[in-house]
Amino acid sequence: MKIILIGINHAGTSALRTLLAQNSGHEVTAYDRNTNISFLGCGIALVVGGSAKNINDLFYCSPVKLEKQGAKVRMNHDVIAVDTEKKKITVRNLETGAVFEDSYEKLIYAAGSWPIEIPGIPKEHSSYKNIEICKLFQHAIELVKKADDPSIKTVAVVGSGYIGVELAEAYQKKGKKVTLIDFEPRVLARYFDKEFTLSLEEDIVKAGITLALGQKVVDYKGENGSVTEIVTDKGSYQADLVIQCIGFKPNTELLPDAKKVKGGALIVDEFMRTSIPDIYAIGDAAAFYHAATETHQQVALATNAVKSGIVAASNINGNSAVKLSSVAGTNAICVFENRLAGTGLSEGMAARLGLDAAASFIEDNDRPEFMENYSKTRIKIVYDKKSLRLLGAQIGSYGNTNHTEVIYYLSLAIQQRLTLLDIAFTDVYFLPHFNKPFNFVLASIMKALGLDYYKN
Ligand SMILES: Cc1cc2nc3c(=O)[nH]c(=O)nc-3n(C[C@H](O)[C@H](O)[C@H](O)COP(=O)(O)OP(=O)(O)OC[C@H]3O[C@@H](n4cnc5c(N)ncnc54)[C@H](O)[C@@H]3O)c2cc1C
């Protein structure tokens, strides 16, 4: 079969490898406008902060490896149009400028996403030097170089999502004076409730970072073409370097007639098929069915990119047992010794969506107090008030204690539409070395059910 793939990062690489591992008889041509593939952006902050040493270790595949598997890989090629009627694409070779057409029987659209620019900033200011975004290997090189540049003393990070908080910590470790700005009143506000973010904010401030929350960036000031200051609606902060991390928009302009969600991501079914025949969408370009919100939405994570690539490729290869029926947006972060993981909806997100949800939060020691060592762990579960169906969970442990992997089974519970009772009666072990008889997940459920007598 003649297959074209647009975009060869995490989703595209996964689809290509699966396609050709399952069936080497395909004629697959893959196009990417970039010059490298499979760069793990999750390692950027680690290299900036110095805990990962070599930025080149953040790749796990290469065009050469994919060619060896049988694909034609065309890097530095920008796909500029898709004719869904004639099943043709138009491509520009970015090295030579040559424009040509190619045709497909099946198209896998893996064009991903791109950082959103801060709106409303005058163009002549947003083009100052040292205003950066954080996505590609090329950005990472700049960000690492600037972390080691002694002339850069002050750094403003805009956006306190995962990437923003991680970068703020990384530049602070490199001795920079960091300001972290967000229009939300809390850090990580889209992922975690205040039971987790307030103590994280205390740790951020203790580390010497200025938190500028509840403020909107409105302008940049500069000197000799470089940024020097960042201006918000509530104040202004010195910044020799600004990093904009306010989110990602899907690259889906090439398919204007496909069904999309409000943000532009392509609605896909459980096999990653879009509304246009023979076109699959995967990764950040796709809007998956979210088990907690029960709507389609973009959940821009490498985990979903890889899984959706496997599903689309398997479906093309005739295997309809492989499907991605839902996602839950499971995520984790490890900053300032806060080890947090979340899945599904926070209480705040459930409220924003107008859901009839309730929440149960507990902080408890993870092991019996008769043990030599035990540590504080926090858990919050969010559930539908009437059905008691689990809608979300957040877990936090601190210092050297890590309980984030517990989120895996809570994520499965959300995807499988399980209730608090189903989860309470899951057959888990008890062993003092590892947990309490009423372990923290069970304890949060018992509290939700009004049964917290175990405490006494
Ligand atoms: C700094 C950072 C940290 C992250 N950390 C994590 C993490 O810890 N855990 C996690 O799960 N996720 C993380 N993510 C998210 C994860 O990287 C993305 O979800 C993932 O990259 C999506 O993969 P993708 O292949 O769908 O899209 P992309 O990575 O956006 O790749 C799309 C590819 O398509 C190409 N392309 C686009 N348009 C065209 C065109 N018209 N013609 C040709 N080529 C085109 C692009 O050049 C690109 O190579 C992080 C992201 C960043 C930026």
Side-chain angles (χ1 to χ4, degrees):
M1 196 185 303
K2 196 161 187 292
I3 301 162
I4 284 182
L5 197 131
I6 304 176
I8 330 173
N9 206 23
H10 302 307
T13 299
S14 159
L16 257 188
R17 285 166 140 183
T18 310
L19 263 179
L20 294 167
Q22 291 175 345
N23 181 346
S24 55
H26 295 305
E27 188 191 326
V28 188
T29 312
Y31 295 96
D32 200 299
R33 55 162 75 128
N34 199 357
T35 49
N36 56 71
I37 66 165
S38 85
F39 177 66
L40 287 164
C42 56
I44 298 177
L46 295 171
V47 182
V48 167
S51 39
K53 293 294 168 229
N54 188 349
I55 201 159
N56 295 309
D57 290 343
L58 301 183
F59 293 96
Y60 58 86
C61 194
S62 68
V64 174
K65 280 189 191 161
L66 294 177
E67 295 235 330
K68 271 196 193 141
Q69 229 189 312
K72 286 186 204 150
V73 178
R74 304 284 177 260
M75 301 307 296
N76 238 333
H77 280 67
D78 193 15
V79 178
I80 52 177
V82 179
D83 184 333
T84 56
E85 294 288 320
K86 295 189 179 136
K87 293 192 163 185
K88 280 193 173 153
I89 64 165
T90 309
V91 188
R92 178 176 291 124
N93 179 331
L94 296 175
E95 266 169 47
T96 63
V99 173
F100 61 93
E101 284 188 347
D102 197 355
S103 62
Y104 61 85
E105 288 166 73
K106 302 272 184 197
L107 176 74
I108 304 181
Y109 194 85
S113 61
W114 193 249
I116 299 169
E117 275 178 36
I118 297 172
I121 297 192
K123 206 157 188 74
E124 62 276 21
H125 295 172
S126 61
S127 57
Y128 281 136
K129 268 192 267 163
N130 288 351
I131 297 176
E132 303 289 340
I133 52 177
C134 177
K135 164 103 186 167
L136 304 179
F137 174 63
Q138 293 88 325
H139 302 139
I141 302 260
E142 279 306 306
L143 294 175
V144 172
K145 207 161 72 187
K146 286 176 175 145
D148 293 324
D149 178 348
S151 74
I152 290 182
K153 295 189 168 37
T154 52
V155 178
V157 179
V158 188
S160 71
Y162 283 84
I163 298 169
V165 176
E166 287 174 354
L167 285 174
E169 182 186 42
Y171 281 98
Q172 179 271 332
K173 276 189 185 164
K174 295 298 274 190
K176 311 293 183 194
K177 177 88 193 79
V178 179
T179 306
L180 180 59
I181 305 171
D182 203 306
F183 62 62
E184 294 282 357
R186 295 184 295 110
V187 299
L188 298 176
R190 276 193 290 158
Y191 308 94
F192 292 95
D193 289 316
K194 61 180 183 332
E195 292 87 346
F196 301 84
T197 58
L198 287 180
S199 56
L200 172 60
E201 285 167 14
E202 279 170 23
D203 291 339
I204 292 175
V205 171
K206 240 186 264 162
I209 292 174
T210 303
L211 272 183
L213 299 172
Q215 340 197 349
K216 214 164 129 193
V217 172
V218 293
D219 205 353
Y220 300 125
K221 288 187 183 165
E223 254 173 46
N224 306 322
S226 290
V227 71
T228 54
E229 217 173 297
I230 187 163
V231 185
T232 73
D233 55 358
K234 300 218 173 112
S236 73
Y237 307 88
Q238 278 186 359
D240 306 321
L241 169 66
V242 170
I243 311 158
Q244 310 178 96
C245 318
I246 62 165
F248 295 88
K249 67 171 172 34
N251 296 323
T252 56
E253 322 64 48
L254 291 177
L255 295 174
D257 299 328
K259 273 198 188 147
K260 298 176 185 178
V261 294
K262 203 166 160 224
L266 297 154
I267 294 176
V268 291
D269 66 9
E270 59 199 344
F271 302 115
M272 307 299 110
R273 296 178 300 198
T274 66
S275 59
I276 300 179
D278 296 318
I279 300 187
Y280 293 73
I282 55 179
D284 285 6
F288 308 111
Y289 183 75
H290 193 295
T293 63
E294 302 187 297
T295 59
H296 281 81
Q297 63 187 74
Q298 186 203 29
V299 184
L301 288 168
T303 47
N304 295 330
V306 171
K307 278 182 268 202
S308 58
I310 293 171
V311 172
S314 301
N315 192 260
I316 289 174
N317 283 337
N319 186 347
S320 55
V322 181
K323 49 187 167 182
L324 184 60
S325 304
S326 68
V327 298
T330 309
N331 58 80
I333 184 165
C334 179
V335 278
F336 302 97
E337 300 200 358
N338 288 244
R339 296 165 196 275
L340 309 180
T343 186
L345 296 172
S346 64
E347 189 180 13
M349 281 310 292
R352 277 191 208 189
L353 294 171
L355 301 183
D356 191 19
S360 163
F361 169 80
I362 60 151
E363 179 180 73
D364 196 7
N365 292 323
D366 56 354
R367 281 174 296 216
E369 288 76 10
F370 60 73
M371 296 297 286
E372 198 179 351
N373 295 308
Y374 48 85
S375 322
K376 286 255 174 285
T377 299
R378 291 177 200 161
I379 180 167
K380 184 168 185 177
I381 53 169
V382 180
Y383 54 95
D384 181 80
K385 260 191 206 161
K386 283 198 194 84
S387 66
L388 297 185
R389 191 188 153 211
L390 186 71
L391 297 175
Q394 299 153 70
I395 288 172
S397 49
Y398 306 88
N400 290 326
T401 304
N402 179 26
H403 288 299
T404 55
E405 280 160 331
V406 171
I407 213 73
Y408 294 172
Y409 93 97
L410 297 175
S411 153
L412 181 66
I414 294 172
Q415 289 182 289
Q416 295 299 317
R417 306 181 61 84
L418 300 187
T419 66
L420 300 193
L421 295 177
D422 297 320
I423 304 163
F425 289 107
T426 304
D427 190 356
V428 297
Y429 64 78
F430 158 59
L431 186 77
H433 306 70
F434 298 141
N435 63 359
K436 285 186 164 184
F438 290 98
N439 68 65
F440 52 79
V441 176
L442 188 54
S444 68
I445 293 176
M446 294 192 64
K447 184 172 173 189
L449 300 176
L451 294 174
D452 49 0
Y453 57 80
Y454 65 93
K455 276 185 156 177
N456 306 318

